[in-house]
Amino acid sequence: MSIKAIALDIDGTLTNDEKRITPRTKEALLAAARAGITLILASGRPAHGLRALAHELELDRYHGMLVAYNGSQVRDATSGELLFNQAIPVEEARAVLEHLRGFDVIPMLVDADRLYIEDAYRCTIYHKGAPKNIVKYERDACGLRIHEVHSLLDWCITPQNKILTAGTDTYLSEHHEAMAAPFVDKLSCMFTADFYFEFTAQGIDKARALSVALPERGIDPSELVAFGDGQNDIPMLRLAGVGVAMANATDEVKNAADMVTLSNNEDGIAAALEELVR
């Protein structure tokens, strides 16, 4: 195939378990960029949370793209130009926040570089039996500033690119269907990790964003290689000419992919590109 673009999920895919891009993977991606292949970061993170990794991979120099908020926003990595944006309307966002009050989850909203929460001291969930400060985790991963408000519902007066909820993995597994039930015909509802369940505008996912943004660069989805490990990556893997699942991906993701590579801790991206880009 002729490869013109590479789309990369971040957590569990591009970065290892220490949240770093390994040297081998970084060099493989920079070599692709130098050869004229467009690099795309495609993540549930807000745009601000993509900037450090985008700079590390020189997306600003090589005219890459940032697919943020699970695909509800796309920006040009060089100019910052907004290429696509579809947020949750205010009334629907407020309805979600009202509904979530009946569940043991921690809702979060993002605006630019700020992470909005209701209680900075209610920040602990349990992941695989161990306590996890989820507010600190999200703040650190995306380089955000914490902003505490009395009520997210009262604060929510503008459209939202996504509504993030965090919860203990076993609790979310048992309750996510009830959390999503009133909105299944109105919004996209998905896991981005087993401790994150998110809401975006209807029909929004990484594939939808790429199907709009790629043609603007003269790139057909058949010329795209996409890498991922999570449920929210499945539409993107299916859209791409070659969808690549990481070895650490769930079986559902592996079944949706065209090939499976090594894990995020074993330079799986570099190993696959060595096969595909010759």
Side-chain angles (χ1 to χ4, degrees):
M1 65 176 292
S2 172
I3 299 173
K4 292 187 178 180
I6 299 170
L8 305 151
D9 171 58
I10 293 178
D11 300 294
T13 301
L14 174 64
T15 59
N16 61 15
D17 290 351
E18 296 178 351
K19 303 299 181 185
R20 295 189 177 95
I21 305 174
T22 59
R24 181 184 169 199
T25 291
K26 179 178 178 179
E27 181 50 41
L29 290 169
L30 286 173
R34 288 191 290 265
I37 296 174
T38 299
L39 299 185
I40 304 165
L41 299 184
S43 174
R45 296 186 186 193
H48 183 82
L50 302 178
R51 289 178 180 174
L53 292 172
H55 181 70
E56 185 175 354
L57 292 176
E58 301 184 37
L59 266 67
D60 49 349
R61 177 180 180 184
Y62 292 108
H63 302 284
M65 289 192 290
L66 307 176
V67 176
Y69 298 109
N70 273 320
S72 74
Q73 189 178 97
V74 183
R75 290 187 179 273
D76 183 288
T78 302
S79 66
E81 178 187 358
L82 192 62
L83 305 176
F84 174 78
N85 190 66
Q86 186 175 339
I88 304 171
V90 174
E91 289 186 7
E92 290 182 359
R94 289 173 56 82
V96 172
L97 292 169
E98 179 70 40
H99 178 62
L100 291 175
R101 288 179 167 179
F103 297 89
D104 185 19
V105 295
I106 300 173
M108 294 178 259
L109 301 176
V110 174
D111 181 30
D113 65 343
R114 290 192 176 189
L115 178 67
Y116 288 86
I117 57 172
E118 290 184 342
D119 187 348
Y121 293 95
R122 182 182 177 233
C123 54
T124 301
I125 63 168
Y126 286 82
H127 183 233
K128 298 181 179 178
K132 187 181 189 75
N133 185 327
I134 197 62
V135 173
K136 181 179 185 299
Y137 175 87
E138 183 68 11
R139 180 202 68 180
D140 292 349
C142 299
L144 301 170
R145 295 183 293 160
I146 295 174
H147 191 87
E148 189 179 63
V149 297
H150 175 70
S151 167
L152 287 177
L153 185 61
D154 291 344
W155 180 83
C156 182
I157 58 173
T158 59
Q160 298 298 312
N161 281 100
K162 78 170 183 177
I163 297 172
L164 171 63
T165 67
T168 293
D169 48 8
T170 52
Y171 182 89
L172 285 182
S173 177
E174 294 172 3
H175 293 89
H176 73 277
E177 291 182 354
M179 291 166 60
F183 311 104
V184 291
D185 296 323
K186 300 177 182 178
L187 300 173
S188 292
C189 315
M190 71 197 80
F191 279 98
T192 55
D194 53 3
F195 51 85
Y196 276 155
F197 191 72
E198 307 188 1
F199 299 81
T200 55
Q202 187 175 33
I204 285 298
D205 55 35
K206 296 178 183 181
R208 165 69 176 152
L210 289 166
S211 67
V212 172
L214 287 174
E216 295 296 319
R217 295 285 187 90
I219 301 171
D220 188 86
S222 65
E223 299 169 310
L224 171 72
V225 176
F227 291 86
D229 75 304
Q231 182 190 47
N232 61 321
D233 296 316
I234 290 175
M236 176 174 74
L237 299 186
R238 288 176 171 161
L239 173 75
V242 178
V244 185
M246 311 302 289
N248 50 286
T250 64
D251 288 341
E252 182 186 14
V253 176
K254 291 175 182 176
N255 291 335
D258 298 298
M259 64 180 287
V260 178
T261 187
L262 301 176
S263 77
N264 63 316
N265 292 318
E266 301 171 302
D267 291 302
I269 290 173
L273 291 178
E274 286 163 10
E275 281 189 53
L276 295 169
V277 181
R278 298 182 184 276

